[in-house]
Amino acid sequence: MPENLTQAPVDRVTMYGAAWCGDCRRSKALLDRVRADYEYIDLEADPTQADRAHAISGRTQIPVVVFPDGTHFVEPTDPELQAKLDALNA
């Protein structure tokens, strides 16, 4: 379910994740498959970004996927993520 951010919307999709996370790999693969314009924030490479992901979602689960309209998903299913991308591109 999308949730609203309290901060300003981003210019493109941003995904916070880690290589060890199966849900992150799956969501990243979908973003790659549909050639989405997105930024991947690797929480293993930059652990300080975990605080940012937590501030956005209020949760410690990943991936956190932030959309240009100011909403975000935490651990989205492929159908949820695909539907949101489709809606953004409509």
Side-chain angles (χ1 to χ4, degrees):
M1 204 66 164
E3 299 175 24
N4 286 323
L5 286 174
T6 57
Q7 294 121 358
V10 294
D11 291 336
R12 62 183 176 159
V13 173
T14 303
M15 181 181 146
Y16 296 84
W20 52 262
C21 169
D23 287 332
C24 297
R25 290 191 307 270
R26 181 182 43 73
S27 291
K28 189 173 186 304
L30 186 146
L31 291 169
D32 289 340
R33 216 172 25 254
V34 300
R35 296 187 176 144
D37 180 21
Y38 75 99
E39 178 182 8
Y40 179 72
I41 307 293
D42 184 344
L43 298 178
E44 288 181 295
D46 188 357
T48 63
Q49 291 295 323
D51 290 337
R52 175 81 177 121
H54 184 264
I56 291 167
S57 69
R59 299 169 57 186
T60 57
Q61 291 89 348
I62 54 175
V64 175
V65 184
V66 184
F67 302 99
D69 66 358
T71 62
H72 71 276
F73 285 136
V74 179
E75 297 182 313
T77 65
D78 282 354
E80 288 173 328
L81 185 53
Q82 183 67 62
K84 180 63 175 185
L85 294 170
D86 290 346
L88 289 172
N89 291 323

